[in-house]
Amino acid sequence: MKSRTWIWILVAAVAFGVVLAMFSSARQPAPAPKATATSPVTVFASATPLPSPTPILPTAILATATPIVCVDGSQYVKDLSVPDGSAMQPGQQFNKTWRLRNTGTCPWDSSYRLAFVAGNAMGGQPAQIQGIVNPGANYDVTVGMTAPTTPGDSQGWWQMVNGRNVAFGPRIWVDIYVIGPATARPPTPVSPPTPAAKPVIQLFVAQPETVDENGLIVVKWTFAGTGLSSAILTRTDPDGTVVPLMGGGDVPYQGQYEDVAANPGTVVYKLSVTNEVGNASASAAVTVNPAPSAVQLPAGITPTP
């Protein structure tokens, strides 16, 4: 009985020692982490900062100035040689000189000329303008001629023509009397030729009458007349700006112009034709609607995917 008691005492002592060892190991501090060798850090000097790029501003859109279209004009001043009714021998050579005034706004250059238009040219050739004749200035133009060989009256009419081969201004003339054997000229007054009629615009349309923005508009015209000084096609935009079309130059007697509808509103096309007698004009309007946009749904409604 006594031996068993010592055995239990010994077992209890061993167990207490084990528990005490476990408690001591649990309170031991964790070992410090080993230092890891690292490469030395090199500090670089800060680079000079690059300048900020200069912002690029959008290029300003310059408004295109409406080109100014000048107008041709001429006025007879006086005869400087060979008065009306001058007597000539058959086949006699002579120089006829007129003084003209530039009454238009276009200066005359070498593309302008005095050209034969009716009657008897008497061998005369078109006389080109020499130098520059500014608006308001006088110019003396001479044409060399030869009298006919047949006795009697002989007349020829001449007119100024511009570089586009369009005649303008009044018709001027030369009038001589060729002397025959033992004849005398009868006192017959010379009348100027019948002036040209006022021009007539036979057709002028702009189609379609209604078009969406950026749509195509086609303008067609036909007109008639003689001695024309100008035939100009223009467009008036919705803001009132008048734009000369086809470069501001004269249009042909019959033609077609295609235009793109640029701005919503009413666009008006106009054709104006002028000669020494008068002016004729015609216009056509086209309604330009805004370009179709995406359909706007009422608030709170989401389109079905």
Side-chain angles (χ1 to χ4, degrees):
M1 184 71 176
K2 192 176 182 177
S3 59
R4 288 182 177 178
T5 300
W6 282 105
I7 292 173
W8 284 111
I9 292 173
L10 180 61
V11 170
V14 172
F16 178 78
V18 172
V19 172
L20 182 61
M22 292 176 63
F23 179 79
S24 297
S25 63
R27 293 179 60 88
Q28 290 285 336
K34 295 182 180 181
T36 303
T38 58
S39 300
V41 177
T42 302
V43 179
F44 294 96
S46 299
T48 303
L50 296 176
S52 300
T54 302
I56 300 176
L57 299 177
T59 304
I61 301 176
L62 300 179
T64 303
T66 302
I68 300 175
V69 179
C70 62
V71 177
D72 289 317
S74 173
Q75 180 183 3
Y76 165 80
V77 178
K78 64 179 180 179
D79 291 321
L80 297 182
S81 67
V82 190
D84 291 346
S86 295
M88 296 284 176
Q89 296 294 329
Q92 179 180 339
Q93 295 182 348
F94 64 95
N95 290 328
K96 173 67 179 183
T97 301
W98 298 269
R99 176 164 293 171
L100 303 177
R101 179 174 295 128
N102 183 350
T103 58
T105 58
C106 300
W108 299 348
D109 55 22
S110 58
S111 67
Y112 286 71
R113 65 191 184 279
L114 182 68
F116 171 74
V117 293
N120 190 341
M122 292 180 260
Q125 298 297 318
Q128 284 189 318
I129 299 300
Q130 303 298 317
I132 300 295
V133 182
N134 291 315
N138 291 339
Y139 182 78
D140 299 339
V141 58
T142 300
V143 177
M145 303 182 189
T146 302
T149 57
T150 303
D153 286 311
S154 187
Q155 296 91 26
W157 285 271
W158 300 69
Q159 191 173 13
M160 285 297 299
V161 177
N162 63 21
R164 299 183 299 276
N165 205 35
V166 176
F168 63 92
R171 293 184 179 184
I172 57 179
W173 62 87
V174 56
D175 171 48
I176 64 170
Y177 181 79
V178 179
I179 300 173
T183 61
R185 179 185 181 183
T188 303
V190 177
S191 300
T194 302
K198 181 179 177 180
V200 176
I201 298 177
Q202 300 157 329
L203 170 70
F204 187 73
V205 295
Q207 297 173 330
E209 296 181 355
T210 302
V211 66
D212 289 337
E213 189 177 2
N214 298 322
L216 182 65
I217 301 173
V218 179
V219 183
K220 298 180 180 180
W221 66 86
T222 302
F223 62 88
T226 58
L228 300 181
S229 58
S230 65
I232 304 300
L233 179 66
T234 61
R235 181 191 71 230
T236 301
D237 291 335
D239 63 358
T241 302
V242 179
V243 181
L245 303 179
M246 298 187 72
D250 291 320
V251 300
Y253 286 90
Q254 181 176 0
Q256 174 176 307
Y257 180 81
E258 295 183 354
D259 199 13
V260 176
N263 299 306
T266 301
V267 179
V268 179
Y269 295 89
K270 181 178 180 181
L271 175 65
S272 181
V273 184
T274 305
N275 67 1
E276 66 268 23
V277 177
N279 172 267
S281 63
S283 60
V286 175
T287 300
V288 179
N289 297 321
S293 58
V295 177
Q296 300 295 323
L297 297 177
I301 297 179
T302 303
T304 303

